[in-house]
Amino acid sequence: MGRRSAIDRWERPVSRTDALRYAKPDTVLGRDAEWEALAAFASDSRPGPGLGVVSGRLRQGKTHLLRALTEAAGGFWFGAQEAVRSESLRMLGERIAEYAESAESAEYAGAAESAGAPARGRPRDWEAAVDALLGLGEGRPLPVVVDEFPRLVRQSPSLPSVICAALHRRSAAVAAGGEDGGARPRLLLCGSDLPVMRRLFSGPSPLHGLADLEMEVRPPDFRQAARMWDLDDPRLAFLVHAVVGGTPAYRYDHVRGDTPSGPDDFDAWVCRTALDPGTPLYREARLLVVEETDHLDRALSHSVLAAVASGHSTAGEIAERVEVPLPDVSRCLELLHESGLLGAEPDALRPNVTRLRIAEPLLAFEYAVVRPRRPSAEREDPAALWRRALPDFGARVAAPHFAQVCRDWAVRYAGPGVFGEEPATAFHGSPAHPPPEAAPAAEVVVRGPAGERPGALLSVGLARWDEVLDVTHLERLRRLIAHLAAHGEDTARTRPACYSGAGFTPALRAAEADGEVLLVGLDRLYGGRQEGALGGS
């Protein structure tokens, strides 16, 4: 079983028959690219088994996506639970028996029993259970999903080796023209424990290199989230995204269907959802930390996340803030990063400096707004608490989140015509010693593609959520760019850029008209189009 190329794995055309069979149901909102990749994998007509890996943090819709796929294709789905080995084998055996007895797969009933999974019985071991799973798909490609796979591995560490051996054995039989050529299972192993999933399919793991499909289901980006929440007003869409991000479950499960009716309803919406102790969303951030950090020093995790939310973005700054030795803090940061709770990117102007940010907006809201006021939050009127918290929300939540949305826009939506060539990265940038009267840092530093070295410096930009930008900001950017040029940076193609959630003065608009600066406001960020040329904000 050789690894296919990225293009083949992700973009293999689906035939008309397969497209009709695996049509994405209306219950799956968005996720077009993920669905197409899964449909292509599940409908691959080559003989023998296939292996796919689907990972992603909790509540991103992985299970819903895979359940929809198996229902559309008549496939098999099994959700692992926290259980001992014998109970897991029994539950899997029962699920296989139920599937075997269904009308769509009646032809498989005998195969399941001969593979060691008699009706309503328990497979004698994992070898028998895996053989039963890989016996599915007789005569046609069939998705076979095992959800929350790491739960099984914790109780049965040899399971990856068992699956590896079974895949090799069946692939060899197909190559030799043996009887296994009729079964075409497309085994999809799914998990929410990101560190465990990465270890299971990389390095020395028996499953490393065997997957035909590797997919991480990520939260929808800021534009996709606006559509998911049915928000047309860019400012309102941004504010909602700054609180809850793009996690689908928060929209459909955690606010009881409550969405802001308009910009004037945002404050009241925050009070009746994120600040209401009676809603699931109020408890979600703390629950998320518990779920993702069960193997960490949880007290240190809370303090580290609070430090990041208060503006400390390097390991040294965080260690000084929490007064814990740097090695202990570094280990905690690494594990939080592996769990998907922290983002870590190089400084665009000092690549040896790594800057950290909270990757889940609801966590940033929790640690900047709610946690400092926790003692009074459950007895105080939410509206009064929110009025007191608004300055912290603006400075510690909205402002850094706006900068991140601008960076995401630059890479995902700006297009090559905006910056002169295709952007590859957009990070925060801070020169070691900025000159007087220059911007001390740039929130959006865009670089082009490159190999080992940093790419061409395409743009240096300031991002201000609640500040109207003027030509004075442009002058500070120009001084910063001149400083970078004096220290060896190639700035021949570098465009100054101003990003604002509050607007721009007429003088700065005039500078834009003369081609001196790129201006990007909320309307442009949420414009819904991939830009190919310079244009207004």
Side-chain angles (χ1 to χ4, degrees):
M1 291 177 57
R3 180 187 290 269
R4 284 181 280 167
S5 70
I7 293 177
D8 188 31
R9 294 200 315 270
W10 289 84
E11 300 180 7
R12 188 183 68 82
V14 180
S15 71
R16 175 175 170 78
T17 301
D18 291 332
L20 292 174
R21 182 192 303 166
Y22 299 111
K24 184 165 73 77
D26 293 338
T27 55
V28 177
L29 302 178
R31 300 295 188 195
D32 292 339
E34 292 91 340
W35 183 269
E36 290 175 9
L38 288 169
F41 170 77
S43 61
D44 189 339
S45 60
R46 293 180 305 166
L51 176 64
V53 181
V54 180
S55 60
R57 283 189 22 243
L58 289 165
R59 297 185 255 300
Q60 302 309 319
K62 300 182 304 300
T63 296
H64 180 67
L65 185 66
L66 293 171
R67 288 297 296 262
L69 179 74
T70 57
E71 290 172 5
F76 174 88
W77 184 89
F78 172 72
Q81 301 182 38
E82 296 287 358
V84 299
R85 174 180 177 275
S86 60
E87 186 180 13
S88 293
L89 283 168
R90 180 166 56 251
M91 288 189 290
L92 178 58
E94 291 173 351
R95 180 69 189 94
I96 291 174
E98 290 173 0
Y99 182 81
E101 293 168 2
S102 68
E104 291 186 7
S105 55
E107 74 279 1
Y108 176 68
E113 184 170 356
S114 65
R120 303 294 176 186
R122 188 187 81 190
R124 57 184 177 270
D125 50 32
W126 278 113
E127 284 79 2
V130 171
D131 279 342
L133 287 172
L134 296 183
L136 295 164
E138 185 70 28
R140 67 182 179 95
L142 191 78
V144 177
V145 175
V146 177
D147 201 2
E148 294 303 342
F149 179 63
R151 294 176 179 173
L152 302 179
V153 177
R154 289 191 188 99
Q155 293 297 329
S156 304
S158 65
L159 182 53
S161 296
V162 171
I163 294 175
C164 175
L167 290 171
H168 281 304
R169 185 172 60 251
R170 287 182 174 263
S171 295
V174 171
E179 59 183 11
D180 284 335
R184 301 180 184 183
R186 302 295 172 245
L187 181 62
L188 285 159
L189 303 178
C190 178
S192 301
D193 191 326
L194 293 181
V196 172
M197 290 295 287
R198 292 187 184 113
R199 287 195 294 271
L200 286 174
F201 298 96
S202 62
S205 170
L207 297 175
H208 176 56
L210 295 183
D212 298 296
L213 171 71
E214 295 180 8
M215 175 188 296
E216 183 172 344
V217 178
R218 302 177 183 273
D221 69 23
F222 65 98
R223 285 189 179 182
Q224 296 165 340
R227 292 192 290 271
M228 181 178 70
W229 282 83
D230 296 324
L231 300 174
D232 296 326
D233 182 275
R235 183 177 180 84
L236 178 60
F238 169 80
L239 288 170
V240 170
H241 195 260
V243 176
V244 294
T247 297
Y250 300 160
R251 164 68 175 86
Y252 299 107
D253 301 328
H254 286 64
V255 299
R256 299 177 294 208
D258 189 350
T259 60
S261 60
D264 294 338
D265 188 40
F266 172 73
D267 292 339
W269 175 82
V270 171
C271 293
R272 64 181 183 259
T273 56
L275 296 181
D276 181 356
T279 64
L281 191 65
Y282 178 82
R283 302 182 297 274
E284 170 64 13
R286 285 175 291 169
L287 181 60
L288 184 62
V289 175
V290 170
E291 291 172 335
E292 298 286 5
T293 62
D294 58 351
H295 55 299
L296 299 177
D297 178 345
R298 192 161 292 138
L300 180 57
S301 298
H302 285 300
S303 295
V304 162
L305 289 166
V308 177
S310 65
H312 300 81
S313 63
T314 67
E317 293 172 355
I318 294 166
E320 183 176 354
R321 170 74 172 184
V322 301
E323 299 182 13
V324 171
L326 181 58
D328 294 341
V329 168
S330 296
R331 284 193 294 273
C332 181
L333 292 172
E334 182 179 356
L335 290 169
L336 287 170
H337 176 57
E338 288 182 354
S339 298
L341 300 184
L342 280 183
E345 291 98 18
D347 188 291
L349 302 178
R350 287 188 288 168
N352 59 323
V353 174
T354 298
R355 299 204 171 273
L356 300 155
R357 59 179 178 84
I358 297 179
E360 170 55 60
L362 187 62
L363 280 182
F365 184 86
E366 164 72 19
Y367 285 94
V369 173
V370 181
R371 188 172 183 264
R373 300 165 177 82
R374 180 72 63 194
S376 61
E378 297 189 7
R379 67 175 188 273
E380 184 178 0
D381 175 58
L385 186 149
W386 180 236
R387 282 193 297 270
R388 291 192 296 108
L390 275 173
D392 280 344
F393 174 75
R396 298 184 177 183
V397 178
H401 190 70
F402 181 71
Q404 184 58 45
V405 164
C406 293
R407 292 190 286 266
D408 291 343
W409 173 85
V411 172
R412 298 184 184 187
Y413 294 105
V418 173
F419 297 110
E421 62 178 277
E422 192 71 40
T425 62
F427 298 135
H428 180 281
S430 55
H433 303 289
E437 305 302 321
E443 288 78 19
V444 188
V445 178
V446 181
R447 289 189 180 274
E452 298 295 327
R453 299 173 293 100
L457 187 62
L458 303 181
S459 179
V460 176
L462 299 179
R464 301 289 186 269
W465 161 241
D466 58 355
E467 185 177 354
V468 177
L469 298 190
D470 196 0
V471 289
T472 55
H473 296 92
L474 175 57
E475 289 301 324
R476 298 180 74 196
L477 275 175
R478 286 170 173 163
R479 293 189 186 100
L480 176 58
I481 293 171
H483 172 75
L484 297 174
H487 286 76
E489 186 82 59
D490 181 3
T491 62
R493 291 175 286 173
T494 305
R495 299 199 71 219
C498 291
Y499 304 79
S500 175
F504 312 96
T505 63
L508 194 58
R509 292 280 189 188
E512 178 195 31
D514 292 336
E516 299 176 14
V517 63
L518 169 69
L519 301 186
V520 181
L522 284 169
D523 287 343
R524 190 167 187 177
L525 289 173
Y526 281 87
R529 62 190 176 92
Q530 175 126 1
E531 304 189 40
L534 299 176
S537 59

